[in-house]
Amino acid sequence: MSEEEIQTLKDKIISLEERNVRLMEDLQKSENEKRAAEGELFRTQKEAARIRTELERIRSPPLIIGTLRDVLPNNKVVVKSSTGPDFIVSISQHIDEKDLVPGARVSLNKQTLSVMEVLPAPLDPVVTGAEILEKPNITYDDIGGLKDQMRELREAVEDPLLRPELYAKVGIEPPKGVLLTGPPGTGKTLMAKAVANATNATFIRLVGSELVQKYIGEGARLVRELFDLAKQKAPSIVFIDEIDSVGAKRADVATSGDREVQRTLMQLLAELDGFTPSGNVKIIGATNRPDILDDALLRPGRFDRIVEVGLPDVEGREQIFKIHLARMNVSDKVSAKKLAKDTDGLSGAQIKSMCTEAGMLAIRDNRDTITPADFKSAKSKVLGNGTAKETKVPAFLYN
């Protein structure tokens, strides 16, 4: 065989090898495309199945909300539908018989009225919004001048939740509720938050005015749902601020609005009576007008302990100043003891405002250190530019 034929044969072999490489690459590419197509087909089938399930759910007939009246033998129950009359119907096999209790909300099939599922109890947004999801960041160290008051509050709320055996050994029942009274800004809300922080209990805070509703029965319903939520979230602390807005004395002559407030008060009294003192739900009320509260609200068995939170004395004011000054960049000439002596009659809230104002005055002058002059000017600012006198609440309100 000549050299030309040999060269020609070699060229053909090289050409065949190159073609084989290209074919192998095409085959690999085709396999990759096949796997991608299979993956896309799987995702499409999964999405189609989801869409079919959603379509079936949308096409399913609507359910009627009813109320369970009674449980009968042979898998039968008595329900009251939202349309009015009572019916004896069967129940779905997927429902646990333990959930079938009289008064429960259930969903009913539109055609057969069979019970399909047990619904959770409804809660008004006002009530659900009252729950503080995050634990309050206020601790006992953040409260000054209220040593005796904090001891009384902790004995009535914290000890029964954390150490109930103490009361069992002595043979007494702990207080059911605590009422905090005192002028505005004296730390009543802070005390409640500090106890909630120490007990790790669910803190439910509601202002009394939120329980006053426009329509008849709505306020009483909110009170029921508030205490139902407290039982569900137990251990819990229910803090009703400004309780005088719903707990004022009942008058013989009243308008329709006053009568509705009285209905809400009566529901509140009933709920307070329904709690056991040794339970894991504690009630704290706060008001700066204890003189207008209804006597039924103050009697033992409801608010067993009344804690007066008055204006701080000179030692209390010094403690409050020390708490705030510890977080501030103040001059060495600033003395908490001297500030306490110069602020007779100021509440804890006014002292905090005074410290904040002093810091703002230093910022205004482009300084990073607060001086005694700043506190002097801040005091005049807090008290109304030096024209307003230090206000004190009449003592007869808290005697």
Side-chain angles (χ1 to χ4, degrees):
M1 184 178 292
S2 63
E3 293 182 359
E4 293 181 358
E5 291 176 346
I6 293 173
Q7 185 63 37
T8 302
L9 184 58
K10 288 181 178 180
D11 293 340
K12 288 182 178 180
I13 292 173
I14 293 174
S15 177
L16 289 174
E17 289 178 350
E18 292 176 352
R19 182 183 178 187
N20 184 48
V21 171
R22 288 195 299 271
L23 290 175
M24 291 296 292
E25 291 176 352
D26 292 341
L27 177 60
Q28 185 65 32
K29 183 178 180 181
S30 299
E31 290 179 351
N32 293 338
E33 292 177 352
K34 178 185 177 182
R35 285 194 293 269
E38 290 176 348
E40 185 65 26
L41 176 62
F42 176 76
R43 288 191 294 271
T44 304
Q45 291 174 344
K46 187 177 180 180
E47 181 67 16
R50 188 192 66 80
I51 293 175
R52 282 195 296 269
T53 303
E54 182 69 14
L55 186 60
E56 291 176 0
R57 188 187 66 82
I58 293 175
R59 286 180 175 177
S60 62
L63 301 177
I64 300 175
I65 296 179
T67 304
L68 189 64
R69 289 297 185 89
D70 195 9
V71 180
L72 305 177
N74 300 324
N75 209 32
K76 298 288 185 179
V77 293
V78 179
V79 296
K80 178 179 178 60
S81 69
S82 55
T83 57
D86 294 353
F87 298 93
I88 298 178
V89 299
S90 58
I91 62 175
S92 172
Q93 60 181 356
H94 303 292
I95 298 178
D96 190 350
E97 294 183 359
K98 297 180 180 179
D99 297 332
L100 297 174
V101 294
R105 294 170 70 243
V106 294
S107 61
L108 310 175
N109 185 286
K110 187 176 182 181
Q111 297 178 346
T112 63
L113 294 181
S114 298
V115 178
M116 304 305 295
E117 61 179 335
V118 178
L119 303 177
L123 290 177
D124 194 276
V126 174
V127 175
T128 55
E131 179 185 354
I132 307 299
L133 300 180
E134 297 183 359
K135 185 172 71 171
N137 56 2
I138 302 298
T139 64
Y140 296 135
D141 295 334
D142 298 323
I143 300 176
L146 300 175
K147 182 179 179 180
D148 295 337
Q149 291 85 345
M150 283 304 309
R151 184 183 67 251
E152 293 188 24
L153 182 61
R154 295 178 67 178
E155 290 173 350
V157 178
E158 180 181 336
D159 289 344
L161 291 177
L162 299 182
R163 298 183 293 173
E165 69 278 359
L166 297 178
Y167 291 86
K169 290 179 180 179
V170 178
I172 61 172
E173 292 184 342
K176 184 183 298 184
V178 180
L179 180 64
L180 304 178
T181 66
T186 51
K188 299 184 291 294
T189 304
L190 288 179
M191 291 173 61
K193 290 183 177 180
V195 172
N197 179 288
T199 57
N200 291 319
T202 302
F203 188 56
I204 303 174
R205 181 181 185 272
L206 199 69
V207 181
S209 59
E210 295 181 280
L211 298 175
V212 180
Q213 298 293 312
K214 178 179 179 181
Y215 299 104
I216 294 177
E218 286 296 300
R221 178 182 60 82
L222 286 179
V223 173
R224 288 194 301 271
E225 293 182 4
L226 175 65
F227 284 86
D228 287 342
L229 177 64
K231 294 176 183 177
Q232 295 174 15
K233 300 291 185 177
S236 59
I237 296 175
V238 179
F239 177 57
I240 304 178
D241 204 359
E242 308 296 344
I243 197 173
D244 53 276
S245 59
V246 71
K249 293 180 180 178
R250 287 166 283 187
D252 296 334
V253 180
T255 63
S256 59
D258 294 332
R259 285 193 292 270
E260 176 58 22
V261 174
Q262 292 176 9
R263 293 188 190 97
T264 304
L265 171 61
M266 287 185 282
Q267 183 64 42
L268 178 60
L269 298 176
E271 294 293 340
L272 290 174
D273 284 335
F275 276 95
T276 57
S278 58
N280 52 3
V281 177
K282 295 300 175 183
I283 316 298
I284 302 177
T287 179
N288 52 23
R289 290 297 308 274
D291 57 306
I292 66 172
L293 291 180
D294 195 277
D295 294 336
L297 195 63
L298 299 176
R299 75 160 176 82
R302 287 173 179 146
F303 285 111
D304 297 300
R305 173 166 282 189
I306 299 178
V307 179
E308 180 183 342
V309 186
L311 294 172
D313 55 14
V314 62
E315 293 182 0
R317 292 194 301 273
E318 183 178 354
Q319 293 176 12
I320 297 173
F321 270 114
K322 286 182 178 179
I323 291 173
H324 294 298
L325 294 180
R327 308 167 185 168
M328 302 169 62
N329 186 20
V330 297
S331 170
D332 296 336
K333 298 180 180 179
V334 176
S335 171
K337 186 174 184 179
K338 186 176 185 306
L339 289 173
K341 292 181 179 179
D342 295 339
T343 53
D344 183 36
L346 264 65
S347 65
Q350 288 175 312
I351 291 175
K352 180 181 179 181
S353 177
M354 178 177 166
C355 293
T356 302
E357 189 65 32
M360 294 178 65
L361 291 174
I363 294 174
R364 181 185 299 174
D365 295 338
N366 294 323
R367 290 182 285 106
D368 56 6
T369 302
I370 306 173
T371 65
D374 294 327
F375 282 99
K376 183 176 180 180
S377 301
K379 178 185 175 183
S380 301
K381 181 75 173 179
V382 170
L383 296 178
N385 295 323
T387 58
K389 295 183 178 180
E390 299 166 352
T391 57
K392 292 185 179 181
V393 176
F396 71 87
L397 294 182
Y398 304 100
N399 292 336

